Each structure stands twice: as C-alpha cells, then as structure tokens.
Amino acid sequence: TFNFYNDSVYNLIDVIDMSQLQDWVPQKANAAELANGNVLLYAGITEGYDKTKMNLVSSSQRELPPYFFDKCGLLFFAQCNGNDSGSSGTTMQVRVYGTGTTVDGIPTVLNNPSGIYVINAIDSFDNNIGIEYSYSSDTPLAVSDLLFSVSSALVSKGWDEVSLVGNILTMSFTGGFTLYSSGVKLYGSTINNTVFANSWDSGYQYAIQYFDSVGRTIGAQTSDLASFNTPSSNGYKYPTTLLQIKNKPPLEAVYYQILRSNNTTYNKRLFWISNAAYRSVTSLNPFDSGNIEGFAYISVDNINLYNEQISSTSSVVSYAFVPGDRIRFIKRFDSENNAVPFDTTTVYDYEVLGTISSITTPNSNKTGNFIKIKYPQEDVDANILNFNFDGDLNFMHYEIFLYNYSNNASGTQRVFYEFGKCFGIGNPGTLNAYHIGLEQTQSATNPEGVPAYITCTNGDLFYRNRNVVSTYDYIYSAGNQDVKTANNVDGGWVAILDLSLKPYQNPLGTSTNFELHNQVASEANPTLSIDPTFYPTLYADTFEYLFWKY
C-alpha cells in the first residue's frame, strides 16, 4: 500500500525508463555468445508477437445514469491475489479510500460517497456472486459503515466475512471464485466537482494493448470502428463512451489495457465568459469614402483575474493565439447576469485575427487583453437586439468557445495513450480465452455476439465548474466642480461633483447590486471638498453618496 499525499517535491524518473514497456531481449534465440567476455550477443532471434485481427466498436452518447466512472475523491476496488481483474482464489480484499476526515493520514469518513458500489465476480460454476450496493446521499459516510454494508451484501450472496480492519474488508468464498472487475457507478446528478471528460463534438479513437505474463506488448492495436464522435452538449455535462471488444484475445495475452487517442477534432478548446466586448471606431458605412474595415474586440482580461482569485502560481487558465484559432459565441449574459440564449439555428463563429493590448472604441481608449475579429456586420444587423458590440452593459459578457482544429495523422500513424484500468483475460493461453469487461464480460464461445463492454468515459480534459470573474470599466465625464459655501453650521467650502451618467448607470434602473449617482453636499453629508484628503464615500445607503449599495 502506497499513500500519496502530494505534499512535497518528489524525485523524477527518467521519461525513457518510465515509458518503456519492455526490454529488447528476444523471447527465443538459436545462439548466444559473450563477445569480449561482457557483451551479450544473440543470433536467430524471435521478437514480439503476431498482430491480432481486431474488432472494436466505440460509441458515445449523452450521460445516461447510472454508469461507471472514476470519481474524484473516491477510490473503491476489490482485489484477489493482488489483482483487481481476472484473478481466481478463495479470498478477496475490498478497499475504500477518498477525501474527507482522516486519522493519521488514513480516511475514516468520506465526503464524496454517493454512488453504486459494484463488485463483479462468479463462482466455479459461473454463477454471479457479485453485488451492487447503492448509497444515493451526498451526506458524509464513515468508511466502516460503507464496508459493513458491502460485507452484508456479499454475505447475502454466500460470502463469509474474514475481517474488517480500517479501510480493508477481507471476504472468503468456499469453492473458489473469479474476480472480474469492481468500481463505482454514478447517478446522473452527482458530479459537481472536477472530473476528466471527453470534449463535445469531437472525434476520438480507442485501441488495445495486450500484455503477456511478464508484461511484454507489441503496442497499440485498433480497428476502424474504434473511432467515434461525441455528441453535442445540449445542456448535458459530458458524454459517456462505450467500447465493445468483439475479437478473441491473442494466445499470449494475460491482461490488456484500453488506449485512447488525442482529440482528433480540436488542438485546443476553452469555454469562457468574456469580460467585455467592443467595436472599433472606424466607420462601417459602405458609402463612407473614408471607410476602413472594422473590428470587434472581446476582452478576456478576467482570465488573469481568475488565476489571481484562486491564488494560482501558474496560469491554470490561459489563452495564447496561434494562426487558425476561432471563436464561437454561445450565448450572452445581460447586466443582471441572466443568460440570454441565441437562436439555435444561428451559429456565430469567426476567425480570430490575433490578440491586442490596447483599442480605441467609440467612447474611449481601453487597455487589456482583447481577442480581435473582423466586425460581423451581417450577423449584428440581423440580430442587433441580441448580438452586438456597442459597449452596452447588456452586451459585455458572452459565453465563448475558443478553439483550434487538429491536424490529423492517419489511423496507422496515430499515437495512443494509456488511461484507466487494466483488465484480465479469462482462460489465458487457450482457444477459449476471452476478455473480461467492466459492464459485461465476453463470451468464450460467442465473442462477437456477446462482446466485452467497458465504459471509457474518462477523457483528455477537465470538466469543471468555475466562478468566472467579470468587471465593468466605467469611464464617465465630470462636469465643472461648483465650489460654494456649505449649508451647515461650520460654513465650510465644498465641491459638487456632477457626473454625466449613461442610461444604464442611472438610479432606479438596472442593477441589483449598486447604483451610481451624482454626489452633492448637504447638511447630512457636508464632507465634499476640493481638499485632496477628501474623497467620495463608497457603499452608502442614501442617495447623497456616489455609490449606493443595495
């Protein structure tokens, strides 16, 4: 058992050693010699294994609970003889760890426990002796209580409890059993934290690598139907994916692992909320002889504000322009932060021309980090009440999708990556070998008709809810400062600050958070002065102050 706390700087392993799956020692050789007494030479060598004729089918859909998922902050698994899939014996250990209350670094209470706890196992007569224990509440759950419930469910299937010590439950089954798999199924509404997920509207491909008894493999093997496209979001959190394995495993295989390609549609993708949106000051009238092409500018300054807010020492969220980038406007948020969706038949998708740090708008000059696009004149004209860049507070915050398309390699040149668990091979080394799955195990006699099913929902990016910071940059003109004697007992001199406010900044108007007002001196508020030590009072509850907070 290794306890990893991520609380220090660890020694690094050379990436060449870390990623090496096998050595180059041949499996068979006709001759061997020690050249110079210390250099080993082989002749007539046999390396590797023959390729397998693969029959993989991948598919994707919107989340339909319950489904298997590696839930953040929760680790539940069963093992037999040190393996969690494909091992046979008479004794099984069930282990539970996760985030929550700990004693001496070991979790005792889980704060993320909801789910269906699954153990797939069969007895020596191929009878199902596995269990599914459901805990639907998000209320913290003691590890001892969870393991007690799992033990009770297993006892009802003929198991005997050997011991329950800390985070480890030991069970036995007279006559022997084979452990297929274990894991947690999730309810549809239980994902509220950070998870790995596949991207919407994206292409991927799965593959398999087989390992022999000493861990040798010839690498990724796949088929055309292992490629798939994820659906559009339409309000769902992320897509669930399924791999069906219909071919028989090779004779040398003892276990196997699922591999995943990178996203074959997007090189980059970031969903964000713009901090502001403006247009250039150039004339957009085609009859104006001085007309030059106009631009729209979308501020993403709040990316830096977000990183500062979470006290990040590096750019957790970032955007750097490269040629080929595009921006898609998904919906907007008005000045009250109410979502205003676009017509589902209209797509606002444009080429990003670059980023710029200072712009000139019809009202003022501004600095920051702006994404520059050609002004979408036709789209603004067609839907100006719901899509424009005139600087109004109701048209500042857009939900945007920043992306860049991938340059795809051919299927034979694609790189695949390990992820998730390894699974065992049943009856390894025989003609009746079969793939042990997660949801379903393959039939040894009818592998194509009854394939192995494995959920591969863990993807190559984060799905995470973020509180995005947004700000308003107010620039308004002040009138002449009228200096006069205050109407108070001291008869001091005060200044009247006259602000020229835009309609959406006026009192009784638009914001549920604050209102801006002209500030004048009065008997109740006589402290306005041209002296530099005086300044407008903020966040008061009367109209005599510059900012009136609700």
Side-chain angles (χ1 to χ4, degrees), residues 10-23:
Y10 298 92
N11 293 327
L12 298 178
I13 300 175
D14 190 290
V15 66
I16 296 177
D17 295 329
M18 178 179 63
S19 60
Q20 183 172 312
L21 295 177
Q22 66 183 66
D23 55 44

Side-chain angles (χ1 to χ4, degrees), residues 42-304:
Y42 287 107
I45 65 175
T46 299
E47 290 182 341
Y49 296 103
D50 294 335
K51 290 183 178 181
T52 304
K53 185 177 181 180
M54 304 298 292
N55 186 359
L56 307 178
V57 178
S58 300
S59 59
S60 182
Q61 63 184 6
R62 299 180 182 93
E63 56 186 52
L64 294 175
Y67 48 88
F68 280 98
F69 199 85
D70 291 335
K71 188 176 181 181
C72 293
L74 180 64
L75 176 61
F76 169 84
F77 65 94
Q79 61 180 34
C80 174
N81 300 322
N83 295 318
D84 64 351
S85 177
S87 187
S88 299
T90 58
T91 303
M92 176 178 68
Q93 288 186 329
V94 182
R95 297 172 180 259
V96 177
Y97 300 92
T99 58
T101 304
T102 63
V103 175
D104 297 328
I106 303 298
T108 56
V109 178
L110 302 173
N111 63 2
N112 196 18
S114 62
I116 305 173
Y117 295 80
V118 180
I119 298 175
N120 294 318
I122 60 170
D123 63 14
S124 57
F125 301 100
D126 292 338
N127 296 313
N128 179 15
I129 55 172
I131 58 106
E132 291 192 3
Y133 167 70
S134 298
Y135 185 77
S136 60
S137 173
D138 285 323
T139 303
L141 176 65
V143 169
S144 57
D145 291 341
L146 172 59
L147 289 177
F148 175 81
S149 298
V150 171
S151 174
S152 299
L154 288 168
V155 167
S156 69
K157 288 295 188 77
W159 296 76
D160 296 311
E161 181 179 317
V162 178
S163 64
L164 174 51
V165 180
N167 298 70
I168 304 174
L169 167 68
T170 303
M171 306 292 294
S172 66
F173 193 87
T174 304
F177 66 92
T178 298
L179 175 63
Y180 279 167
S181 61
S182 57
V184 179
K185 288 182 178 179
L186 298 182
Y187 300 99
S189 60
T190 56
I191 291 294
N192 296 312
N193 57 357
T194 303
V195 298
F196 282 112
N198 291 316
S199 178
W200 296 108
D201 293 308
S202 298
Y204 294 92
Q205 186 174 11
Y206 288 135
I208 287 179
Q209 60 179 354
Y210 294 102
F211 297 89
D212 66 11
S213 59
V214 292
R216 289 177 296 208
T217 177
I218 65 171
Q221 300 186 78
T222 187
S223 60
D224 290 341
L225 293 181
S227 297
F228 65 96
N229 291 307
T230 57
S232 299
S233 171
N234 292 340
Y236 290 81
K237 291 183 178 178
Y238 47 80
T240 58
T241 63
L242 181 68
L243 174 66
Q244 301 180 49
I245 308 174
K246 297 186 175 184
N247 59 276
K248 292 184 70 67
L251 289 176
E252 73 275 3
V254 175
Y255 63 97
Y256 70 98
Q257 186 165 25
I258 308 301
L259 309 178
R260 181 193 62 236
S261 73
N262 275 337
N263 189 312
T264 60
T265 304
Y266 299 113
N267 272 330
K268 70 162 67 167
R269 53 236 179 256
L270 173 66
F271 289 91
W272 198 248
I273 306 296
S274 65
N275 197 47
Y278 304 103
R279 65 175 176 86
S280 61
V281 297
T282 55
S283 173
L284 298 174
N285 184 351
F287 300 102
D288 185 347
S289 59
N291 175 59
I292 61 174
E293 192 173 54
F295 301 100
Y297 304 100
I298 298 88
S299 171
V300 288
D301 267 352
N302 50 346
I303 289 180
N304 293 330

